[in-house]
mmCIF file of all heavy atoms in Angstrom:
data_model
loop_
_atom_site.group_PDB
_atom_site.id
_atom_site.type_symbol
_atom_site.label_atom_id
_atom_site.label_comp_id
_atom_site.label_asym_id
_atom_site.label_seq_id
_atom_site.Cartn_x
_atom_site.Cartn_y
_atom_site.Cartn_z
ATOM 1 N N LEU H 281 4.654 -6.724 25.550
ATOM 2 C CA LEU H 281 5.040 -8.063 26.027
ATOM 3 C C LEU H 281 6.457 -8.064 26.596
ATOM 4 O O LEU H 281 6.764 -8.785 27.540
ATOM 5 C CB LEU H 281 4.951 -9.092 24.889
ATOM 6 C CG LEU H 281 3.548 -9.475 24.427
ATOM 7 C CD1 LEU H 281 3.624 -10.431 23.249
ATOM 8 C CD2 LEU H 281 2.734 -10.098 25.554
ATOM 9 N N ALA H 282 7.328 -7.221 26.023
ATOM 10 C CA ALA H 282 8.713 -7.162 26.500
ATOM 11 C C ALA H 282 8.835 -6.298 27.749
ATOM 12 O O ALA H 282 9.896 -6.227 28.363
ATOM 13 C CB ALA H 282 9.631 -6.632 25.417
ATOM 14 N N GLU H 283 7.746 -5.634 28.076
ATOM 15 C CA GLU H 283 7.601 -4.882 29.327
ATOM 16 C C GLU H 283 8.386 -3.589 29.497
ATOM 17 O O GLU H 283 8.570 -3.167 30.630
ATOM 18 C CB GLU H 283 7.889 -5.799 30.532
ATOM 19 C CG GLU H 283 6.875 -6.913 30.659
ATOM 20 C CD GLU H 283 7.327 -8.036 31.586
ATOM 21 O OE1 GLU H 283 8.491 -8.016 31.997
ATOM 22 O OE2 GLU H 283 6.502 -8.905 31.885
ATOM 23 N N PRO H 284 8.843 -2.930 28.434
ATOM 24 C CA PRO H 284 9.403 -1.612 28.739
ATOM 25 C C PRO H 284 8.262 -0.599 28.920
ATOM 26 O O PRO H 284 8.460 0.460 29.492
ATOM 27 C CB PRO H 284 10.259 -1.273 27.526
ATOM 28 C CG PRO H 284 9.657 -2.022 26.406
ATOM 29 C CD PRO H 284 8.946 -3.209 26.998
ATOM 30 N N THR H 285 7.074 -0.953 28.475
ATOM 31 C CA THR H 285 5.916 -0.063 28.638
ATOM 32 C C THR H 285 4.726 -0.887 29.089
ATOM 33 O O THR H 285 4.648 -2.078 28.838
ATOM 34 C CB THR H 285 5.520 0.596 27.300
ATOM 35 O OG1 THR H 285 5.341 -0.429 26.345
ATOM 36 C CG2 THR H 285 6.545 1.573 26.812
ATOM 37 N N LYS H 286 3.783 -0.213 29.695
ATOM 38 C CA LYS H 286 2.587 -0.895 30.187
ATOM 39 C C LYS H 286 1.454 -0.835 29.157
ATOM 40 O O LYS H 286 0.685 -1.757 29.032
ATOM 41 C CB LYS H 286 2.097 -0.230 31.494
ATOM 42 C CG LYS H 286 2.940 -0.577 32.699
ATOM 43 C CD LYS H 286 2.412 -1.833 33.408
ATOM 44 C CE LYS H 286 3.239 -2.199 34.621
ATOM 45 N NZ LYS H 286 4.662 -2.471 34.309
ATOM 46 N N THR H 287 1.361 0.293 28.460
ATOM 47 C CA THR H 287 0.199 0.455 27.587
ATOM 48 C C THR H 287 0.587 0.499 26.112
ATOM 49 O O THR H 287 1.701 0.886 25.758
ATOM 50 C CB THR H 287 -0.565 1.764 27.913
ATOM 51 O OG1 THR H 287 0.256 2.871 27.514
ATOM 52 C CG2 THR H 287 -0.897 1.876 29.389
ATOM 53 N N ILE H 288 -0.377 0.147 25.286
ATOM 54 C CA ILE H 288 -0.199 0.170 23.837
ATOM 55 C C ILE H 288 0.066 1.607 23.362
ATOM 56 O O ILE H 288 0.900 1.836 22.491
ATOM 57 C CB ILE H 288 -1.471 -0.406 23.149
ATOM 58 C CG1 ILE H 288 -1.631 -1.889 23.499
ATOM 59 C CG2 ILE H 288 -1.456 -0.205 21.643
ATOM 60 C CD1 ILE H 288 -0.553 -2.796 22.933
ATOM 61 N N GLU H 289 -0.606 2.577 23.972
ATOM 62 C CA GLU H 289 -0.447 3.979 23.558
ATOM 63 C C GLU H 289 0.993 4.441 23.779
ATOM 64 O O GLU H 289 1.610 5.057 22.921
ATOM 65 C CB GLU H 289 -1.398 4.910 24.337
ATOM 66 C CG GLU H 289 -2.877 4.741 24.018
ATOM 67 C CD GLU H 289 -3.456 3.415 24.521
ATOM 68 O OE1 GLU H 289 -3.030 2.938 25.602
ATOM 69 O OE2 GLU H 289 -4.306 2.828 23.819
ATOM 70 N N GLU H 290 1.501 4.128 24.985
ATOM 71 C CA GLU H 290 2.881 4.498 25.315
ATOM 72 C C GLU H 290 3.863 3.859 24.332
ATOM 73 O O GLU H 290 4.798 4.491 23.851
ATOM 74 C CB GLU H 290 3.204 3.942 26.704
ATOM 75 C CG GLU H 290 3.415 4.955 27.790
ATOM 76 C CD GLU H 290 3.762 4.213 29.075
ATOM 77 O OE1 GLU H 290 2.840 3.630 29.701
ATOM 78 O OE2 GLU H 290 4.949 4.183 29.423
ATOM 79 N N ALA H 291 3.612 2.570 24.066
ATOM 80 C CA ALA H 291 4.494 1.819 23.171
ATOM 81 C C ALA H 291 4.479 2.443 21.781
ATOM 82 O O ALA H 291 5.513 2.623 21.141
ATOM 83 C CB ALA H 291 4.044 0.363 23.104
ATOM 84 N N ARG H 292 3.292 2.798 21.330
ATOM 85 C CA ARG H 292 3.157 3.379 20.004
ATOM 86 C C ARG H 292 3.900 4.719 19.915
ATOM 87 O O ARG H 292 4.580 5.008 18.932
ATOM 88 C CB ARG H 292 1.668 3.558 19.678
ATOM 89 C CG ARG H 292 1.427 3.738 18.212
ATOM 90 C CD ARG H 292 -0.058 3.901 17.931
ATOM 91 N NE ARG H 292 -0.204 4.428 16.598
ATOM 92 C CZ ARG H 292 -0.555 3.680 15.544
ATOM 93 N NH1 ARG H 292 -0.822 2.424 15.677
ATOM 94 N NH2 ARG H 292 -0.645 4.237 14.358
ATOM 95 N N ASN H 293 3.793 5.520 20.981
ATOM 96 C CA ASN H 293 4.522 6.791 21.009
ATOM 97 C C ASN H 293 6.025 6.572 20.924
ATOM 98 O O ASN H 293 6.736 7.286 20.218
ATOM 99 C CB ASN H 293 4.207 7.570 22.292
ATOM 100 C CG ASN H 293 2.809 8.165 22.243
ATOM 101 O OD1 ASN H 293 2.261 8.382 21.151
ATOM 102 N ND2 ASN H 293 2.228 8.417 23.398
ATOM 103 N N MET H 294 6.504 5.563 21.652
ATOM 104 C CA MET H 294 7.942 5.262 21.622
ATOM 105 C C MET H 294 8.385 4.916 20.208
ATOM 106 O O MET H 294 9.430 5.376 19.735
ATOM 107 C CB MET H 294 8.259 4.049 22.528
ATOM 108 C CG MET H 294 8.427 4.391 23.987
ATOM 109 S SD MET H 294 8.674 2.888 24.972
ATOM 110 C CE MET H 294 10.457 2.731 24.874
ATOM 111 N N LEU H 295 7.575 4.098 19.527
ATOM 112 C CA LEU H 295 7.936 3.660 18.174
ATOM 113 C C LEU H 295 7.854 4.823 17.183
ATOM 114 O O LEU H 295 8.687 4.943 16.281
ATOM 115 C CB LEU H 295 7.036 2.504 17.730
ATOM 116 C CG LEU H 295 7.228 1.210 18.527
ATOM 117 C CD1 LEU H 295 6.149 0.191 18.178
ATOM 118 C CD2 LEU H 295 8.614 0.608 18.271
ATOM 119 N N GLU H 296 6.867 5.683 17.370
ATOM 120 C CA GLU H 296 6.762 6.850 16.481
ATOM 121 C C GLU H 296 7.967 7.770 16.666
ATOM 122 O O GLU H 296 8.508 8.299 15.696
ATOM 123 C CB GLU H 296 5.439 7.589 16.735
ATOM 124 C CG GLU H 296 4.284 6.884 16.034
ATOM 125 C CD GLU H 296 2.901 7.429 16.389
ATOM 126 O OE1 GLU H 296 2.789 8.198 17.377
ATOM 127 O OE2 GLU H 296 1.943 7.065 15.683
ATOM 128 N N ASP H 297 8.401 7.912 17.922
ATOM 129 C CA ASP H 297 9.597 8.725 18.218
ATOM 130 C C ASP H 297 10.824 8.156 17.523
ATOM 131 O O ASP H 297 11.659 8.895 17.000
ATOM 132 C CB ASP H 297 9.872 8.749 19.730
ATOM 133 C CG ASP H 297 8.943 9.710 20.449
ATOM 134 O OD1 ASP H 297 8.258 10.495 19.748
ATOM 135 O OD2 ASP H 297 8.889 9.666 21.697
ATOM 136 N N VAL H 298 10.933 6.837 17.556
ATOM 137 C CA VAL H 298 12.071 6.152 16.957
ATOM 138 C C VAL H 298 12.108 6.400 15.440
ATOM 139 O O VAL H 298 13.174 6.592 14.852
ATOM 140 C CB VAL H 298 11.984 4.641 17.301
ATOM 141 C CG1 VAL H 298 12.656 3.794 16.264
ATOM 142 C CG2 VAL H 298 12.584 4.382 18.680
ATOM 143 N N ILE H 299 10.941 6.453 14.822
ATOM 144 C CA ILE H 299 10.889 6.745 13.380
ATOM 145 C C ILE H 299 11.211 8.219 13.132
ATOM 146 O O ILE H 299 12.076 8.551 12.326
ATOM 147 C CB ILE H 299 9.509 6.365 12.787
ATOM 148 C CG1 ILE H 299 9.324 4.842 12.804
ATOM 149 C CG2 ILE H 299 9.372 6.901 11.358
ATOM 150 C CD1 ILE H 299 7.970 4.347 12.332
ATOM 151 N N ASN H 300 10.551 9.105 13.886
ATOM 152 C CA ASN H 300 10.752 10.547 13.664
ATOM 153 C C ASN H 300 12.178 11.010 13.933
ATOM 154 O O ASN H 300 12.682 11.910 13.273
ATOM 155 C CB ASN H 300 9.772 11.361 14.536
ATOM 156 C CG ASN H 300 8.331 11.119 14.103
ATOM 157 O OD1 ASN H 300 8.075 10.769 12.942
ATOM 158 N ND2 ASN H 300 7.387 11.272 15.023
ATOM 159 N N SER H 301 12.833 10.380 14.901
ATOM 160 C CA SER H 301 14.200 10.801 15.247
ATOM 161 C C SER H 301 15.253 10.172 14.332
ATOM 162 O O SER H 301 16.427 10.513 14.413
ATOM 163 C CB SER H 301 14.491 10.395 16.694
ATOM 164 O OG SER H 301 14.483 8.977 16.786
ATOM 165 N N GLY H 302 14.841 9.213 13.497
ATOM 166 C CA GLY H 302 15.805 8.548 12.618
ATOM 167 C C GLY H 302 16.552 7.406 13.293
ATOM 168 O O GLY H 302 17.441 6.795 12.700
ATOM 169 N N LYS H 303 16.186 7.111 14.559
ATOM 170 C CA LYS H 303 16.897 6.044 15.282
ATOM 171 C C LYS H 303 16.622 4.671 14.682
ATOM 172 O O LYS H 303 17.469 3.780 14.735
ATOM 173 C CB LYS H 303 16.502 6.044 16.760
ATOM 174 C CG LYS H 303 17.169 7.150 17.549
ATOM 175 C CD LYS H 303 16.866 6.998 19.037
ATOM 176 C CE LYS H 303 17.343 8.222 19.800
ATOM 177 N NZ LYS H 303 16.431 8.590 20.901
ATOM 178 N N GLY H 304 15.440 4.495 14.127
ATOM 179 C CA GLY H 304 15.096 3.220 13.494
ATOM 180 C C GLY H 304 15.954 2.987 12.260
ATOM 181 O O GLY H 304 16.467 1.891 12.032
ATOM 182 N N LEU H 305 16.109 4.044 11.480
ATOM 183 C CA LEU H 305 16.918 3.952 10.260
ATOM 184 C C LEU H 305 18.382 3.673 10.625
ATOM 185 O O LEU H 305 19.042 2.842 10.002
ATOM 186 C CB LEU H 305 16.797 5.256 9.464
ATOM 187 C CG LEU H 305 17.269 5.198 8.015
ATOM 188 C CD1 LEU H 305 16.372 4.290 7.193
ATOM 189 C CD2 LEU H 305 17.308 6.592 7.397
#
Side-chain angles (χ1 to χ4, degrees):
L281 289 177
E283 295 164 352
T285 54
K286 285 270 180 300
T287 69
I288 295 293
E289 291 69 35
E290 247 182 284
R292 198 180 164 102
N293 286 336
M294 277 176 88
L295 294 171
E296 280 172 347
D297 282 349
V298 153
I299 292 176
N300 295 334
S301 65
K303 283 187 189 143
L305 195 67

